Amino acid sequence: MAGTRIPLTASAQDGAPGGLADGWLDTLTLSDPHPGETRHALVARTLRSAVTRGLLPEGTRLPGHRRLAQRLGVSRNTLVDALTQLHAEGYVRPRGRSGTVISVPVISVPGHAPTTTPGSGVTAPAQNGRPLPLSAWAIRALQGQVEEVGGDRFAVDFRVGQPVPDLYPEAAWTQALARRAAQVTHAHAHDPLGPLETRRALAAYLNAQRGARVTPDMVMLTGGTQSALDALARVFLEPGRLAVVEDPTYAGARAALAATGADVTGVPVDDRGLQTGALPPGATLAYVTPGCQYPTAVSLGADRRQALIAWAAAANAFILEDDYAADLHLTSRPPRCCRASRRTA
């Protein structure tokens, strides 16, 4: 039912008393918006929170659309979109002209706040303060999470990796996307590596501009840096193996490597980049940022690049190169990726 708006009919209920929902409606206000959050998503999150906090028990009939939208200060269409989302998640159920009712039971556990679980499976929160049973991978991944900066908004945001929306060519991108979307067909089977034409273009670029030697079948498209790191870490690492990272390094990379259960050790960085002489002999993988060391921004010199490659060959280890700043060079081309020089007779 994705992309289909359900008929959440409530015309007969508009302006009518809302039963158990009335007292809650008098104090209802929208939650604080998240950055980039759409209006209907904000409304859905507000209502979802009221359900999960036990303010709206199962079977409660919501007020009519016009009344509820007026209270929230949004249009009726925005409210319907939000309720459609909540219906897809299992929080509400439309009953035609009888309105919309809450369909998630509230679970009461002594010593815990009320909790709800949409769908058929209901899982109570852990009792006596004990955490829910997670896998070993999940525990390691959570331990590697970096806490986001919260609280008030500041005039200057010093967090790294934050985009500047005003500089993004949104109009041009939208037009190009619309043109391309009209040409997309489903005649070809899904390729888990990504569209072949895109991988061909990337391989040609990497070979011509970055000194790589890759073919399209060696290119895989992912949803972002973290998903790529997670996929590669699972391929190369496991408990009992050793991974090397620069010290300091990108915390997200260290977390992805550690989540596999492998031991992760840091190798110091100086004003010339990674100190290759300190690389341990028994590692399986080294995560490096030689083009622009993160976060010091120094580049790894040619001699150390060759030392890194020689170390990997001797240790039978992989080099995981994060080339995150390759397209940000202004005055010269970025250095080529780490690979052994082509031998000549």
Side-chain angles (χ1 to χ4, degrees):
M1 70 183 291
T4 303
R5 177 178 292 185
I6 59 174
L8 295 173
T9 306
S11 57
Q13 303 300 328
D14 286 353
L20 291 175
D22 272 352
W24 162 80
L25 182 65
D26 294 338
T27 60
L28 176 64
T29 57
L30 284 176
S31 304
D32 293 334
H34 293 163
E37 188 175 30
T38 62
R39 198 69 170 167
H40 83 271
L42 174 60
V43 173
R45 182 163 59 85
T46 299
L47 296 175
R48 188 185 301 109
S49 176
V51 174
T52 57
R53 286 185 290 129
L55 299 180
L56 294 174
E58 182 182 19
T60 299
R61 179 174 59 84
L62 294 178
H65 292 170
R66 292 193 185 94
R67 186 180 178 201
L68 186 53
Q70 183 179 16
R71 176 64 194 179
L72 291 170
V74 299
S75 69
R76 188 175 185 273
N77 286 340
T78 297
L79 176 65
V80 171
D81 287 341
L83 292 176
T84 300
Q85 176 65 38
L86 293 177
H87 175 260
E89 297 174 2
Y91 286 94
V92 301
R93 181 174 66 256
R95 285 187 173 177
R97 297 183 63 83
S98 297
T100 304
V101 299
I102 304 301
S103 60
V104 178
V106 177
I107 306 169
S108 297
V109 179
H112 296 272
T115 304
T116 60
T117 302
S120 57
V122 177
T123 303
Q127 302 186 40
N128 302 322
R130 291 180 297 175
L132 292 171
L134 300 177
S135 68
W137 179 91
I139 293 174
R140 291 190 296 263
L142 290 173
Q143 288 174 342
Q145 290 287 338
V146 180
E147 185 176 355
E148 288 289 337
V149 178
D152 299 332
R153 295 184 178 180
F154 299 94
V156 179
D157 189 345
F158 288 101
R159 289 177 296 174
V160 298
Q162 300 301 305
V164 183
D166 295 340
L167 299 180
Y168 185 76
E170 184 173 355
W173 170 259
T174 302
Q175 293 173 3
L177 187 62
R179 288 195 301 268
R180 183 57 182 159
Q183 304 171 12
V184 173
T185 65
H186 300 284
H188 302 287
H190 171 69
D191 192 330
L193 296 179
L196 178 58
E197 59 182 330
T198 304
R199 293 188 285 113
R200 283 174 175 166
L202 287 172
Y205 165 78
L206 293 172
N207 291 333
Q209 301 294 328
R210 304 310 317 284
R213 293 202 299 268
V214 300
T215 56
D217 61 302
M218 298 167 64
V219 177
M220 181 179 72
L221 306 182
T222 70
T225 299
Q226 206 59 35
S227 59
L229 289 171
D230 177 67
L232 292 170
R234 290 171 185 257
V235 170
F236 298 131
L237 298 175
E238 61 187 358
R241 292 188 176 183
L242 175 65
V244 172
V245 296
E246 297 165 325
D247 186 12
T249 191
Y250 169 50
R254 186 168 198 138
L257 302 183
T260 65
D263 295 325
V264 181
T265 185
V267 173
V269 171
D270 58 22
D271 58 356
R272 296 180 56 227
L274 178 71
Q275 297 182 18
T276 52
L279 287 166
T284 299
L285 178 143
Y287 169 82
V288 294
T289 53
C292 181
Q293 202 281 325
Y294 187 92
T296 65
V298 300
S299 296
L300 193 64
D303 58 337
R304 291 195 179 183
R305 284 174 176 266
Q306 291 305 314
L308 173 62
I309 294 171
W311 167 84
N316 197 28
F318 292 94
I319 298 176
L320 177 51
E321 179 178 355
D322 190 343
D323 207 9
Y324 70 97
D327 297 316
L328 300 180
H329 287 251
L330 300 178
T331 59
S332 64
R333 289 188 177 183
R336 72 176 193 173
C337 59
C338 285
R339 68 172 177 82
S341 301
R342 187 187 299 272
R343 293 184 178 181
T344 58

